[in-house]
Structures are given as C-alpha cells and as structure tokens.
Amino acid sequence: MKEVTWKSPSNIALVKYWGKYPVQLPANPSISFTLSAAATTTTLKYKQGTGQVVVFLEGEEAPSFLPKIHTFLERTQKLFPFTREWDFEVHTSNSFPHSSGIASSASGMSALSLCLMSVKEALGITITDFFEEASEAARLGSGSGSRSLYGPMAAWGTHENTPGSNDRFAVAYNHIDPIFKSFQDTILLVDKGTKKVSSTVGHQLMEGHPYAAARFQQAHTNQTALLTALSEGDLEAFGSLVESEALTLHAMMMASTPYFILMHPNTLKVIEAVWAFRKETGTPLYFTLDAGANVHLLYPASHKDVTLSFIEEHLKTFCKDGSYLCDAVGAGPEKIG
Ligand code: DP6
C-alpha cells in the first residue's frame, strides 16, 4: 500500500460558529486561533480497490468512526471522485488524551482531508488550491475543521470586513499585532466526560431559536470589532469581545428548546477567579469556552510565568484530577510523510 501522513491542529474559536444550514454551511462568520500542541496525526494507506475503509485509533481498530467517515466521503465526492476505486486504511492518533473532553473532530477531519488532497495530487488530478480544497473538504466533515488549515488564525463564513471570507472554505488571517502570535491557550479540564450535547444537536438548537437572527447579526458586528482589536494590539477590547462571545454561546444554549447548561459549577468559579485576578494584577488574562465545561485561558507569552503560577495556586483545584493542557497559537498543519 502507498501512504501519506499529515499532522493537523485543533483550533479555538474567538467568534463562535453556532448554527448551520445544509450542507455544512455556517449561519454566521467565525474566526479562531490555530493551536499547536493539540493535534491529530493521520496516516492514510491506500491501494486500488472498491472503496473499502478500515479505521484505527491509537493503533486499535475503531469501527465506530466508520459511519462518520462514510458520510464524509459521500459529501466530498466532487473533491475526491477517486475514493470509490481505492481501498483505505486510516491510522489516526491524537496528541491530547482521549478522555480530556477536547474535541478531535476539527483536527481529525482536517488531517484526513489533507491526506486525501495528497492522494489526489499523487493521482495527478487537477488541484486549483491545495489548502482551499482541503479546508472545503474538512468543512464537510466538521464545520470548525475548515479553520484548522492555516496558522496563526483562520476565518470561515462570509464577513464584510474579512478579505476572501466565504462560506465554502476558511481563509488564513494574518493582519494581527505580533502580540497575538505569542498567545498561549491553557485549557483547564473542568470536566473530562463526553459532551452532553453533540455538535449536531447543538447547531440544530439555533433553528427556530427566538434570538437566532440577533445572534447571527451580532457575530458579524463582533468579528468587525475583533479585527480592529487584533490589528491594533488592543488586549482589553480583544478580551471583552472574546469573553462575551463565549458567554453568548452558552446563553444561546440556555435559551433554546430543549435547554442545556453545559457549564459546571467549577467553570463559573474559574471565571470569577480570572476576573478577580485581572482586576487585582492587571494581567491580560481572558477566557473562552467551547460547547462544554472546560475553560480556555488566553494570554500573551510575556505573562506566562505569572499566569501559570496563578493556575497552579488558584485554578488547578477546579480542574478534574488537577489537569490542564498547555497550548499556544500555532503555524498550521504539517506534512509528515
Ligand atoms: C462551539 O465544528 O464541532 O466549537 O460542523 O457539526 O462538526 P459540526 O460542528 P463543530 O462546531 C463547533 C462549535 C463551537 C464553536 C466553533 O468552533 O466555532
């Protein structure tokens, strides 16, 4: 069998994608930091055949992933018209612990998309733009995965002030003050369990949601303001937009039918402690949240020592088994073989 290997990172949204319409198109624009430590490495082995797929996760056969991969291959037929004439083995592993509650769909789908792009290239099929097509494919697997293709930041979804932005694939975003390239993301693992709300169910909650129209509009306004904060190196404006986006995401969930609370009591304790620490010390430490209880702490590398001491002394106690992961803004995917 021939093979190709890509390592692709996870990403953390600053303006959140929450709500979509078929097929995998975003209801609003979003923009994210590309991460560096949290990543998926996928080796795709292939030989001529009939479209058979076998998946291995951390070396063990994992048939539970097959339905998602088959849906992905159906949706990406136009991009990868060759997949029915080849047999594949997908060998995938994550840098972060399986039970950490860190979603692997963005890094996993982007790594698989990049592997398939390399197969497409090896087969001599015309490619217009390697990363745009990889991002479009990743989007068809997982919306947020479209943003894992470029560092240090990526934007997905048509937005009036984001050059090149569109709903089909994400674009790299670089118009940022250098301080943001040094940003750290320390992920406090408040709850390691599987997600209470799958992303599919989560996005559906925005269909017919009483605040949907206002929320989608707000994402546009917030992204415009965030782009200004990013280019001016305005940490305070950055922090208040990012924290507001995180709380709005959770507010949408609380106000939907059915309703969910995905924060854990310790999530709130962390948020309160971060606010108090910022007020007392002036450290530019901000939080964001995913659709779960874990807290992402965002801060410049210049404040790493003071923040890590604060985490050790005051926040670790709110983490499950005292665990947290140290990550930082990264450069995007890497071809390994
Ligand atoms: C809260 O990308 O996981 O992390 O498109 O159904 O795979 P699917 O959803 P997914 O949703 C991510 C939602 C979010 C916000 C974000 O990353 O923008």
Side-chain angles (χ1 to χ4, degrees), residues 243-315:
E243 291 189 348
S244 168
E245 273 289 318
L247 294 177
T248 301
L249 169 71
H250 284 256
M252 287 299 115
M253 266 177 264
M254 289 191 226
S256 60
T257 311
Y259 45 80
F260 293 95
I261 299 181
L262 296 188
M263 283 186 276
H264 184 278
N266 282 351
T267 310
L268 290 175
K269 289 194 177 132
V270 168
I271 292 173
E272 281 175 350
V274 166
W275 284 343
F277 176 71
R278 198 162 73 215
K279 203 168 168 200
E280 276 160 32
T281 65
T283 307
L285 174 65
Y286 306 99
F287 73 84
T288 188
L289 306 166
D290 258 340
N294 295 337
V295 184
H296 290 246
L297 293 180
L298 304 174
Y299 53 97
S302 50
H303 290 76
K304 196 167 172 177
D305 291 348
V306 66
T307 303
L308 289 178
S309 307
F310 168 61
I311 292 170
E312 274 293 315
E313 281 165 37
H314 298 282
L315 302 184

Side-chain angles (χ1 to χ4, degrees), residues 184-232:
Q184 308 293 298
D185 178 5
T186 305
I187 310 163
L188 305 183
L189 304 177
V190 170
D191 191 3
K192 297 189 190 173
T194 47
K195 284 198 207 171
K196 266 191 275 178
V197 182
S198 71
S199 63
T200 312
V201 172
H203 290 286
Q204 272 168 10
L205 298 175
M206 290 308 284
E207 287 166 24
H209 192 293
Y211 306 132
R215 161 59 200 155
F216 299 149
Q217 186 47 48
Q218 179 199 43
H220 283 261
T221 316
N222 281 351
Q223 188 153 317
T224 297
L226 185 68
L227 297 187
T228 305
L230 288 166
S231 68
E232 291 178 354

Side-chain angles (χ1 to χ4, degrees), residues 11-20 24-25 28-32 68 75 103 105-106 109 138-147 156 195 198-203 249-250 253 289-292:
N11 68 76
I12 180 70
L14 305 174
V15 172
K16 306 290 182 182
Y17 147 56
W18 198 240
K20 62 178 169 181
Q24 289 287 101
L25 293 165
N28 63 260
S30 60
I31 186 163
S32 51
K68 202 163 182 192
R75 285 182 183 166
S105 61
M109 283 301 173
R139 181 206 104 217
L140 291 164
S142 173
S144 58
S146 68
R147 297 187 312 243
W156 172 46
K195 284 198 207 171
S198 71
S199 63
T200 312
V201 172
H203 290 286
L249 169 71
H250 284 256
M253 266 177 264
L289 306 166
D290 258 340

Side-chain angles (χ1 to χ4, degrees), residues 2-174:
K2 295 179 194 171
E3 64 177 67
V4 58
T5 303
W6 277 91
K7 180 178 178 186
S8 190
S10 187
N11 68 76
I12 180 70
L14 305 174
V15 172
K16 306 290 182 182
Y17 147 56
W18 198 240
K20 62 178 169 181
Y21 60 94
V23 178
Q24 289 287 101
L25 293 165
N28 63 260
S30 60
I31 186 163
S32 51
F33 276 144
T34 305
L35 296 179
S36 111
T40 298
T41 300
T42 297
T43 297
L44 187 64
K45 300 187 180 181
Y46 58 105
K47 65 171 181 356
Q48 267 179 321
T50 54
Q52 303 299 308
V53 183
V54 193
V55 191
F56 297 85
L57 176 66
E58 323 289 353
E60 303 268 329
E61 200 172 333
S64 62
F65 284 89
L66 283 175
K68 202 163 182 192
I69 290 189
H70 282 299
T71 305
F72 168 74
L73 292 175
E74 281 305 313
R75 285 182 183 166
T76 52
Q77 265 308 297
K78 271 203 185 127
L79 287 161
F80 307 130
F82 53 86
T83 51
R84 290 189 182 124
E85 284 106 56
W86 294 80
D87 289 341
F88 296 98
E89 270 183 30
V90 183
H91 294 261
T92 190
S93 64
N94 295 321
S95 64
F96 41 90
H98 181 56
S99 59
S100 63
I102 305 287
S104 59
S105 61
S107 53
M109 283 301 173
S110 54
L112 179 58
S113 299
L114 285 160
C115 288
L116 285 163
M117 284 304 298
S118 289
V119 175
K120 184 173 180 176
E121 196 172 52
L123 297 178
I125 301 172
T126 310
I127 293 170
T128 316
D129 186 301
F130 191 94
F131 283 91
E132 277 178 18
E133 287 185 30
S135 173
E136 178 170 10
R139 181 206 104 217
L140 291 164
S142 173
S144 58
S146 68
R147 297 187 312 243
S148 279
L149 278 294
Y150 326 85
M153 298 192 73
W156 172 46
T158 306
H159 177 252
E160 47 287 9
N161 299 112
T162 308
S165 64
N166 71 92
D167 289 352
R168 224 154 48 84
F169 54 84
V171 292
Y173 193 77
N174 297 306

